[in-house]
Amino acid sequence: MAAPTGVTVRRLTAGALPAAAEGLGALLADAVDDGASVGFLAPLTIDRAAAYWSGLAPALADGTVTVWTAHADDGDGSGGKRHGDDDGTGTGTGTGSSGTSSGGRVIGTVQLRSETSPNGTHRAEVAKLLVHRDARGRGVARLLLTAAEECARDAGRTLLLLDTQTGSAAEHLYRSAGWTPVGTVPDYAADPAGVLRPTTFFRKTLGGPAGSD
């Protein structure tokens, strides 16, 4: 699959999180307003959503949670898929702060939550895969999912888990990306309107790091 034109994916650092929180908050609020079951009830204000992202600072700093952001490029003609760390310094491959005009508008995000228990360091969870409504259908979600999977593989994580509302567009994405459904739990989580919905759990087994024998 070709990389979406005009989209940059960056790994967010703890130092860049304060500048990124508002843009990520707007993205999360858009997802909830669109009916996504992502842990929040409607209405969700951007301020409340931004506070959620700000609360991830300790986990970002210690590496237990990794966050990527997808940005709509500013029309400099470079386009395509680029990866880098967004450190908020304006230097390196991830220049500019997430959610700012210099970095392009935040149109997507995904998290990788690494298990820390001694008997679970082989696994991680993919969570909060979000794409803004006006940026869907361009392959952004698949690009973000691939970034999370590659990072997990490179870190030696061999088992990934995730869950999503049964029957959602995300469920189709995960099935098409090689994820295996484990089972469905009725009435597992409420949608933004407060209605209990079923959730389907998925797993994916990873091989060794890219380029390894």
Side-chain angles (χ1 to χ4, degrees), residues 127-189:
K128 294 288 189 294
L129 176 55
L130 309 173
V131 176
H132 197 280
R133 279 177 285 188
D134 65 14
R136 293 175 192 166
R138 297 169 54 188
V140 177
R142 193 174 296 273
L143 185 61
L144 287 163
L145 183 61
T146 298
E149 291 178 1
E150 289 178 351
C151 177
R153 182 181 293 109
D154 290 345
R157 304 280 169 162
T158 57
L159 176 64
L160 293 182
L161 303 169
L162 61 79
D163 63 81
T164 190
Q165 183 174 307
T166 305
S168 65
E171 182 177 358
H172 173 73
L173 167 68
Y174 300 136
R175 289 178 184 273
S176 69
W179 287 72
T180 301
V182 176
T184 297
V185 179
D187 296 342
Y188 181 79

Side-chain angles (χ1 to χ4, degrees), residues 59-74:
L60 274 179
D62 66 23
T64 54
V65 174
T66 306
V67 175
W68 290 264
T69 53
H71 301 256
D73 290 346
D74 290 333

Side-chain angles (χ1 to χ4, degrees), residues 18-121:
E22 184 176 356
L24 286 165
L27 178 65
L28 179 56
D30 174 77
V32 172
D33 185 60
D34 192 41
S37 180
V38 289
F40 297 89
L41 297 178
L44 178 65
T45 66
I46 292 177
D47 285 347
R48 284 181 55 211
Y52 159 77
W53 292 104
S54 296
L56 292 181
L60 274 179
D62 66 23
T64 54
V65 174
T66 306
V67 175
W68 290 264
T69 53
H71 301 256
D73 290 346
D74 290 333
D76 60 1
S78 56
K81 172 183 175 182
R82 298 202 303 272
H83 291 278
D85 286 345
D86 188 348
D87 58 8
T89 63
T91 61
T93 56
T95 58
S97 299
S98 299
T100 64
S101 59
S102 61
R105 183 172 63 94
V106 179
I107 59 172
T109 187
V110 70
Q111 297 177 22
L112 184 69
R113 301 175 180 174
S114 299
E115 177 60 44
T116 59
S117 60
N119 68 342
T121 55

